[in-house]
Amino acid sequence: RVREEPSQSSPSLASSLSSFLPRPPHQPKPKTSTMSCCPAGALPASYAEKGSSFTPAGETIDLGGGARMYATGDPRWKTAIVVMHDVFGLDGGHHRALCDALAAGGHYVVCPDFYEAGSIEPYYNRGAANEGKEWLKRFNWAWCSAILERVYAHLDGKGITSTGSIGFCWGAWAVAKACQDPGRVQAGVWCHPSCQVGRELYEGETEQELAQRVKSPTLILPSPQEAELYRNGELAAIFEANGVANDMVYFHDQSHGWMTRGAGFLGKSWVDSGGRENLTSIVGVQRGVNLTLGWFAKHLHK
């Protein structure tokens, strides 16, 4: 079903809360800059016009075993968000800026690097998307879950009591897998999802089978370029039959990849898929962040 969220007032959530959000002493206050088409206080700051600067507020943490992650925010909130990156990887697109924006909403936020600092982008750039898919096959659930165990151990050590997860494109599949264990992840968000990678590249789960195994509340944020099953009620019916809280907000005016502005649709970048750096797209980012924060506010505090 489609639900339109309440309108948001200016300034943005991040700007409104910045005066009293706890910030660990070692984290510098991030620089902010906005492009001319953006409302004052638009987030994240790295979506400013080209040539402007953005300084991530967080840090890179070595998880051991060759794994790393970006971490930002204050664990004293007791809630965490695990961000699952798109196929451009942690270092592609605007993943760090999105992490900072989510952290400003009152969470400790981490984004593990599942690709060993790699990305499918070089394959896209030379028109070799099929080779890129072969490369992606390395990062199956056995691989990703081993990294997530290190992430969960880190969160436990920080005293985190509840955890949500948001994923973009490929990362939505990882969220759906993680949400099969509600003891670890209590809510999930699929943003411009590409859950077909499960049946095309990995364990063979269809999108319907994946939804059937999800046990944690799930919010889906699709664009017109993803399959209709994300927005036509097909997956919602599966969630509801299993008693899993769910919702969907259709971003009819966005292109696949609008949140991260990295990977786009079918072997292309976000820009090559029709994405444009304008007011419509920055409003789309703001809406996505706000809806995600609302979903976690509802389901991570019981």
Side-chain angles (χ1 to χ4, degrees), residues 86 124 169 191-196 199-200 207 220-232 248-276 281:
D86 69 15
Y124 282 9
C169 180
C191 215
H192 40 87
S194 294
C195 294
Q196 73 274 9
R199 57 179 165 80
E200 292 180 357
E207 293 90 326
I220 303 178
L221 307 179
S223 79
Q225 290 175 322
E226 290 90 55
E228 288 189 8
L229 59 84
Y230 293 113
R231 61 183 185 272
N232 67 5
M248 188 279 295
V249 178
Y250 180 38
F251 282 72
H252 64 88
D253 56 353
Q254 302 297 328
S255 300
H256 180 88
W258 87 89
M259 288 291 286
T260 53
R261 301 191 178 192
F265 191 61
L266 295 179
K268 299 179 181 179
S269 69
W270 173 71
V271 171
D272 290 339
S273 296
R276 296 293 178 265
S281 64

Side-chain angles (χ1 to χ4, degrees), residues 14 23 27-28 30-31 43-47 54-62 67-73 81-86 88-105 107-119 166 168 259-262 285 289:
R23 183 183 299 279
Q27 291 189 356
K31 299 177 182 178
L43 58 92
S46 76
Y47 287 71
F54 166 71
T55 302
E59 60 182 340
T60 298
I61 294 177
D62 184 353
R68 62 171 183 146
M69 71 178 181
Y70 178 70
T72 185
I81 299 173
V82 179
V83 175
M84 312 292 200
H85 57 67
D86 69 15
F88 274 25
L90 170 59
D91 298 321
H94 296 268
H95 291 92
R96 286 175 175 81
L98 286 168
C99 288
D100 288 353
L102 293 169
H107 302 279
Y108 183 59
V109 181
V110 299
C111 184
D113 175 12
F114 294 105
Y115 294 173
E116 299 182 307
S119 170
I166 180 174
F168 311 99
M259 288 291 286
T260 53
R261 301 191 178 192
V285 175
V289 169

Side-chain angles (χ1 to χ4, degrees), residues 139-297:
F139 310 112
N140 59 18
W141 185 239
W143 173 278
C144 294
S145 61
I147 293 173
L148 285 173
E149 285 304 316
R150 295 176 183 269
V151 173
Y152 298 149
H154 172 85
L155 298 181
D156 289 345
K158 293 289 186 179
I160 298 299
T161 58
S162 57
T163 301
S165 184
I166 180 174
F168 311 99
C169 180
W170 174 93
W173 163 80
V175 172
K177 297 289 283 187
C179 284
Q180 294 176 16
D181 181 1
R184 272 303 180 186
V185 178
Q186 288 78 51
V189 178
W190 305 359
C191 215
H192 40 87
S194 294
C195 294
Q196 73 274 9
V197 297
R199 57 179 165 80
E200 292 180 357
L201 305 179
Y202 303 128
E203 291 76 30
E205 288 174 305
T206 66
E207 293 90 326
Q208 294 85 352
E209 290 169 336
L210 198 60
Q212 184 71 38
R213 293 169 180 142
V214 166
K215 294 182 174 63
S216 299
T218 296
L219 170 65
I220 303 178
L221 307 179
S223 79
Q225 290 175 322
E226 290 90 55
E228 288 189 8
L229 59 84
Y230 293 113
R231 61 183 185 272
N232 67 5
E234 184 174 348
L235 298 184
I238 295 172
F239 290 138
E240 289 170 8
N242 291 334
V244 175
N246 68 96
D247 204 349
M248 188 279 295
V249 178
Y250 180 38
F251 282 72
H252 64 88
D253 56 353
Q254 302 297 328
S255 300
H256 180 88
W258 87 89
M259 288 291 286
T260 53
R261 301 191 178 192
F265 191 61
L266 295 179
K268 299 179 181 179
S269 69
W270 173 71
V271 171
D272 290 339
S273 296
R276 296 293 178 265
E277 296 180 356
N278 55 25
L279 179 59
T280 298
S281 64
I282 198 68
V283 169
V285 175
Q286 182 89 47
R287 290 180 65 210
V289 169
N290 290 349
L291 285 163
T292 297
L293 289 172
W295 191 249
F296 291 146

